[in-house]
Amino acid sequence: MATYTADAVSLLVYLVDALPRAADRKFAEAEAGEAVIQAPSMALAELLYSVSRDKDVRGVTLTGTPEDARRALVENGPVSVAPVDDAELVEYAQVVDRFSIHDGLIVASHRARSTDAVLTSDGAIGDAGYETIW
């Protein structure tokens, strides 16, 4: 089964139903139980922070609480939490000099968990040679 790493931006855009076609297909596959989407705990924390600030995403103002967003994604949705553990830190130590903290932890989770691609609009990850879907 295909497995993907999602960053905070992809999760936010999913919440407002504004994903581009390719990423939307991967989330639909996960909703149908045909794929797995993992989000590093750090990405979920970023998402909850954004929701708490009523951030505007793709012209849509986020509503609801951070807990509502967590439930929609993790408890009742297609996303599983990928805790940052020692395996991610080992990978992060290898890429820390090439990425921001955020991008580095996304790439580290992708590498440590051997996911098929990263669901992201972040060009830096793709430019570094990692498979991305957006």
Side-chain angles (χ1 to χ4, degrees), residues 1-128:
M1 182 177 304
T3 305
Y4 305 99
T5 298
D7 73 355
V9 171
S10 69
L11 299 173
L12 282 166
V13 178
Y14 170 80
L15 284 177
V16 299
D17 197 26
L19 287 167
R21 185 175 305 152
D24 192 48
R25 269 195 304 267
K26 300 309 175 192
F27 274 89
E29 289 171 11
E31 290 169 342
E34 300 166 355
V36 174
I37 295 177
Q38 302 174 348
S41 51
M42 172 272 317
L44 286 162
E46 289 178 308
L47 166 100
L48 298 177
Y49 179 86
S50 293
V51 171
S52 76
R53 303 300 190 268
D54 289 328
K55 184 177 178 170
D56 189 60
V57 177
R58 304 282 168 139
V60 177
T61 301
L62 293 171
T63 59
T65 67
E67 177 57 16
D68 293 335
R70 186 201 64 78
R71 273 195 306 272
L73 290 168
V74 178
E75 189 173 312
N76 301 320
V79 177
S80 62
V81 179
V84 175
D85 61 16
D86 193 50
E88 276 80 10
L89 294 176
V90 166
E91 294 296 333
Y92 181 68
Q94 295 176 29
V95 299
V96 68
D97 61 335
R98 292 180 274 169
F99 294 102
S100 66
I101 293 171
H102 166 87
D103 289 354
L105 286 171
I106 295 294
V107 168
S109 183
H110 166 65
R111 287 171 47 144
R113 297 174 184 281
S114 299
T115 61
D116 294 292
V118 179
L119 302 172
T120 184
S121 63
D122 191 329
I125 294 172
D127 290 347

